Structures are given as C-alpha cells and as structure tokens.
Amino acid sequence: NLWSKSFTEAREVAWATGDTQGEITIGGTMAQPTISGRLAVRDGTIKLAALNDPIQKVGVDIEFIGDKIKVRTIEGQSGGGNLRLTGDMAVRGRGLADYNLALTADKFRVDSKYFKGPLNGTLRLTTVKDKPVLAGQVAFDDDTLAVPLEPQFTATDFDLGLDVEVTASKKVRLYSPYLYDIWGQGQVKISGTLADPAVEGRLVSQRGTINYLGTRFKIRAAKADFSPPGFEPSVRLVADTRFERATITLSVSGPLSELQYKLQSEPYMS
C-alpha cells in the first residue's frame, strides 16, 4: 500500500505496515502547487532504522487544503507511552513554510544506540520572521544515555532556531561499558540555531564510576558546565580508588575534547 511503499523508500525507515485510505489531487504550478484531499492510516506499524523496537498503533490523519497541510494527528505508541504530532504548515514551491506544529511525548519509550528509556516533553515548531524555530521542554527521567566523547553530526541544509529546555532527574544514567557509569541530574538551555547551537546550564553527579588506565574510580563529585558559544561542556570531576593501603585520587578537568587527568595518593606514593 501507499503507506508502507512511501516510507520504506526512505533510508530512515526499515519497514512499515498499515492500510492507507484517502485520495489526493495535485494542481497549480511547480512554483506554487495546490493539493486537495485527505490521507489516513489506522492501526499501522513503523520501524525506524535508528530504533530497536517498532512504533505500534500508528494513526495518521492529514488533510490537504490548497496550499495548506493540516495535520489532524500523527500518533504512535511504544513501551506503553504515546507520541503525537498535530498542527499545520504551508506548501511554498517545492518546500514547506509557515510551520505551526506541536509534538507531545508522554512516557514514549525509545530504545536506540545512544538512548534508552521513556521520553517526555512538548516541542513546537513555528515560523518566526520567515525562519523555523523549535521551542519547548524535554524531560529525561529513568533514562540511560550513551554519550560519545566525540559526537558526530550529519550535515543538513535545513537550519532552524532553537529554544529548548532539557531537564534530567536523579534517575538519568550516562553509561559506556568501558569508560563511565555516571548518574546525574541538571538542566540545560539550548538556543542559537541547529548549525550553530549554544548550550547553557549545568549537570552534576555524586554517584558513579569512571575507568582510567584500566582502573575503576568511584566518583566523589562531578559537574559539567555549559556556556555559550557552542555546546562543548567544561568538566570537573574527582574520583577515588584504593590500592593496597593508599587512596588514589583522580582529578579530571577541562573542555570535553581536551580533558586533563591528574593522579595523587594519600599517603604519597612515588
């Protein structure tokens, strides 16, 4: 059917099932096309390439009115939670404009390479001075994140303004099996643009472990401070381990890409 054929042609989608209902008529010109009709999918399933589990009970109800696309609902479920998109946007030539979309996540479970757990929050995509802007709040609670030391970003021509607040509770775990296992909390504000983001805020931890030179250290205190410009945090961390009768202290400081490590012992060891 149209639903599964359209989505499985995209690299981001592994497969999709569900019957498509509706009819769409395209008119106008290449410079300013017009679309009329309606598209609906009930009880569909979609498997995104980046997610380990498929999104179930997918429902789609989209109405096309001239140069307007009205998203009555695009919704799905995962792990007992829900994800729902509503709103509208306009067709401008071969692109889209005048965004007014709202995305709500309520305990929507994500299981991927870098994130595992429920996702909560509300994001709005609007147009401000002819530029798309993404704003809202995202809350992490009882989640596990595997943050790469050197994040890689995919280049895109689509840029948008950012005004997003991210909150992490005490149950948020940063985990890498060979590097760290840290439980943290805090709050950061992401502004700027997708091409040039600016992050401000702080994440702290007083629980967890870090591996250094093949030895596991128990974290005494740690914090990551974010300040514009850019998104790279400045890290300060103190952790301890026991070796025979001595306490070995590891101090870590500096920007994430240029961390400095220092070891000292009590009593002193040569």
Side-chain angles (χ1 to χ4, degrees):
N1 58 57
L2 179 62
W3 157 259
S4 60
K5 184 177 185 297
S6 299
F7 276 99
T8 51
E9 289 178 350
R11 289 178 298 176
E12 295 80 5
V13 178
W15 51 265
T17 63
D19 293 330
T20 306
Q21 298 178 347
E23 182 176 326
I24 300 174
T25 302
I26 300 176
T29 65
M30 289 292 292
Q32 189 53 60
T34 60
I35 310 174
S36 61
R38 197 160 184 169
L39 178 66
V41 176
R42 290 186 179 181
D43 200 21
T45 304
I46 183 170
K47 170 66 171 64
L48 300 180
L51 302 183
N52 295 325
D53 299 322
I55 301 173
Q56 307 282 355
K57 297 188 180 299
V58 174
V60 177
D61 187 357
I62 304 176
E63 187 176 5
F64 302 87
I65 310 171
D67 65 347
K68 290 286 187 180
I69 301 176
K70 187 174 182 63
V71 181
R72 296 185 179 274
T73 185
I74 298 177
E75 57 189 354
Q77 298 181 10
S78 177
N82 303 292
L83 187 72
R84 189 167 189 259
L85 176 70
T86 59
D88 56 73
M89 50 193 163
V91 179
R92 293 288 184 269
R94 297 184 180 182
L96 300 173
D98 298 341
Y99 298 97
N100 183 27
L101 299 169
L103 178 68
T104 302
D106 181 15
K107 299 178 182 177
F108 183 81
R109 184 167 184 81
V110 175
D111 187 350
S112 68
K113 181 178 180 180
Y114 298 113
F115 184 95
K116 180 178 291 187
L119 189 60
N120 296 278
T122 300
L123 295 172
R124 293 194 65 90
L125 180 63
T126 58
T127 299
V128 179
K129 296 181 179 179
D130 296 325
K131 179 180 180 179
V133 176
L134 183 68
Q137 301 82 34
V138 177
F140 294 152
D141 186 10
D142 199 17
D143 298 315
T144 299
L145 290 78
V147 182
L149 292 180
E150 296 183 1
Q152 296 180 349
F153 299 95
T154 302
T156 175
D157 294 331
F158 181 74
D159 197 15
L160 73 162
L162 298 172
D163 185 13
V164 179
E165 186 177 276
V166 180
T167 303
S169 75
K170 294 181 180 179
K171 295 181 180 180
V172 173
R173 182 187 187 191
L174 305 178
Y175 178 73
S176 173
Y178 304 109
L179 296 175
Y180 54 80
D181 186 1
I182 303 173
W183 296 81
Q185 65 184 106
Q187 187 173 14
V188 296
K189 181 71 173 290
I190 305 173
S191 57
T193 67
L194 192 62
D196 186 21
V199 183
E200 185 173 10
R202 171 178 288 182
L203 300 176
V204 299
S205 174
Q206 294 179 324
R207 174 188 173 193
T209 60
I210 182 171
N211 293 341
Y212 181 64
L213 298 179
T215 302
R216 179 172 294 180
F217 291 79
K218 186 177 181 180
I219 292 175
R220 190 194 313 168
K223 67 177 181 178
D225 287 312
F226 298 81
S227 59
F231 57 85
E232 185 178 38
S234 177
V235 177
R236 294 187 66 86
L237 179 148
V238 179
D240 303 305
T241 192
R242 293 286 297 177
F243 180 75
E244 296 180 350
R245 296 184 179 181
T247 297
I248 311 299
T249 299
L250 170 67
S251 300
V252 183
S253 62
L256 187 61
S257 61
E258 300 177 2
L259 291 175
Q260 301 294 316
Y261 298 84
K262 179 181 179 182
L263 289 171
Q264 59 186 40
S265 66
E266 180 61 41
Y268 175 78
M269 297 176 62
S270 59

